[in-house]
């Protein structure tokens, strides 16, 4: 797991060849850490949606996944997201 920190923190499209290898190593050797990486990346992807309904659906799906992940920080974050999801819901447009 040594020297895998930057591979886990960088955007997937910016990884060097060596960092990509490190990420695959993490996938093989430390499933919990790799699951945390996937949750992080999925949450970041959800922040890129421009359509509120799609963003909300993604966040709902993400929070269900995070709740089942058995990773305490993500379970706690999912609980917080659900608690405040009303404020995040898309509002209907008025013409």
């Amino acid at each position: 797991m040594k020297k895998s920190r930057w591979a886990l923190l960088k955007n997937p499209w910016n990884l060097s060849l060596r960092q990509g290898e490190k990420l695959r190593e993490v996938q093989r050797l430390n499933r919990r850490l790799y699951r945390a990486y996937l949750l992080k990346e999925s949450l970041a992807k959800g922040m890129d949606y421009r359509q509120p309904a799609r963003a909300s659906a993604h966040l709902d799906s993400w929070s269900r996944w995070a709740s089942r992940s058995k990773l305490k920080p993500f379970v706690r974050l999912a609980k917080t997201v659900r608690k405040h999801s009303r404020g995040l819901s898309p509002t209907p447009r008025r013409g």
Side-chain angles (χ1 to χ4, degrees):
M1 299 292 82
K2 277 190 165 189
K3 298 187 180 182
S4 59
R5 178 181 181 193
W6 296 115
L8 294 165
L9 292 175
K10 283 177 81 173
N11 290 322
W13 58 87
N14 286 335
L15 294 177
S16 69
L17 221 50
R18 179 74 178 128
Q19 290 167 336
E21 291 170 2
K22 278 293 183 185
L23 196 55
R24 286 186 290 283
E25 185 180 322
V26 168
Q27 182 181 10
R28 277 192 332 273
L29 300 176
N30 193 332
R31 293 188 184 266
R32 288 177 59 89
L33 180 57
Y34 190 68
R35 190 174 339 128
Y37 168 78
L38 293 175
L39 280 161
K40 173 193 78 100
E41 289 301 320
S42 179
L43 183 59
K45 177 186 173 189
M47 299 298 154
D48 288 339
Y49 285 117
R50 291 182 176 265
Q51 299 159 332
R54 288 187 71 193
S56 181
H58 181 83
L59 197 56
D60 288 344
S61 173
W62 182 89
S63 67
R64 286 191 303 274
W65 178 26
S67 293
R68 295 187 314 266
S69 73
K70 298 181 183 175
L71 300 170
K72 288 182 182 181
F74 285 100
V75 171
R76 196 169 46 245
L77 178 58
K79 185 177 179 180
T80 302
V81 166
R82 280 193 307 276
K83 180 179 176 183
H84 297 286
S85 66
R86 286 185 148 214
L88 301 172
S89 298
T91 55
R93 287 188 170 174
R94 295 179 189 222

